[in-house]
């Protein structure tokens, strides 16, 4: 019920920075979400939806035994050993990847920061209340195009990092 058309509105009470956030949903995002009603990722547990930390816990539990890592308020077993050849990662790394690649496709800093719901600092945060919906749509569409090119392994990879 947080999705209306192409926009997902994350309520302030569940947003990390307690500020309502609107996310533009690209074609790929809409395809992945589907058109069922109810929760996109339902839970068979006591809550009707998965918890905010379930993905982090699942990722970290997949790494080989050893050590612990804090996910939310929970310490779980984890290690720094590669998993399927990957170094340990978290959902935050997905945000960082998107944010980095928005710069790569020419999205200006101010818009990219809005896409990831970072608050404006200083005097700008006090006076600029614009939320950049049209610009976020363009930014996420550009990021989707680059991501799809990467997934297809297209040759147009100049400046890849």
């Amino acid at each position: 019920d947080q999705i209306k058309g192409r926009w997902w509105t994350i309520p302030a009470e569940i947003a990390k920075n307690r500020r309502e956030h609107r996310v533009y949903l690209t074609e790929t995002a809409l395809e992945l979400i589907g058109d069922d009603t109810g929760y996109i990722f339902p839970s068979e547990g006591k809550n009707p939806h998965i918890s905010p930390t379930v993905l982090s816990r699942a990722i970290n539990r997949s790494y080989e035994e050893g050590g612990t890592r804090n996910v939310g308020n929970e310490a779980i077993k984890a290690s720094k050993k590669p998993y399927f050849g990957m170094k340990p990662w978290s959902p935050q790394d997905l945000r960082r990847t998107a944010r980095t690649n928005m710069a790569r496709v020419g999205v200006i800093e101010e818009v990219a920061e809005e896409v990831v719901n970072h608050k404006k600092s200083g005097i700008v945060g006090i006076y600029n209340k614009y939320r950049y919906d049209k610009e976020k749509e363009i930014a996420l569409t550009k990021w989707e195009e680059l991501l799809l090119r990467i997934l297809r392994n297209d040759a147009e990879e100049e400046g890849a990092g």
Side-chain angles (χ1 to χ4, degrees):
D1 65 348
Q2 296 171 355
I3 297 173
K4 303 281 188 262
R6 290 188 159 274
W7 289 93
W8 169 28
T9 302
I10 302 169
E13 54 273 8
I14 64 170
K16 187 174 182 178
N17 65 7
R18 299 291 181 228
R19 180 177 80 151
E20 180 179 280
H21 181 52
R22 285 173 43 90
V23 179
Y24 177 76
L25 301 172
T26 63
E27 285 298 321
T28 303
L30 289 172
E31 286 175 26
L32 291 169
I33 291 168
D35 57 8
D36 288 343
T37 58
Y39 291 100
I40 296 169
F41 304 109
S43 171
E44 294 181 11
K46 56 187 168 186
N47 292 321
H49 56 84
I50 62 173
S51 75
T53 60
V54 74
L55 181 58
S56 293
R57 287 196 317 264
I59 291 166
N60 284 289
R61 283 190 180 125
S62 296
Y63 288 98
E64 295 178 25
E65 292 288 327
T68 61
R69 184 169 175 174
N70 290 330
V71 175
N73 295 327
E74 183 181 349
I76 62 170
K77 289 184 179 182
S79 78
K80 295 194 182 285
K81 295 180 183 176
Y83 176 65
F84 290 112
M86 297 183 298
K87 294 178 182 175
W89 62 280
S90 74
Q92 184 67 21
D93 293 314
L94 300 175
R95 285 172 48 90
R96 186 179 312 109
T97 298
R99 173 63 184 84
T100 297
N101 281 291
M102 278 185 269
R104 180 175 167 188
V105 296
V107 175
I108 63 170
E109 194 85 10
E110 196 168 359
V111 173
E113 288 297 291
E114 275 295 324
V115 170
V116 294
N117 201 22
H118 287 167
K119 287 186 176 180
K120 298 174 192 84
S121 62
I123 200 80
V124 173
I126 293 168
Y127 287 101
N128 184 356
K129 301 300 182 188
Y130 183 57
R131 297 304 300 272
Y132 298 88
D133 280 357
K134 185 62 182 165
E135 295 84 352
K136 288 192 288 188
E137 176 181 342
I138 293 165
L140 287 167
T141 300
K142 285 181 175 185
W143 164 229
E144 174 191 50
E145 290 167 358
L146 174 61
L147 180 59
L148 292 174
R149 280 198 321 264
I150 292 169
L151 291 171
R152 287 190 307 264
N153 201 22
D154 282 359
E156 193 181 325
E157 294 294 325
E158 82 290 335

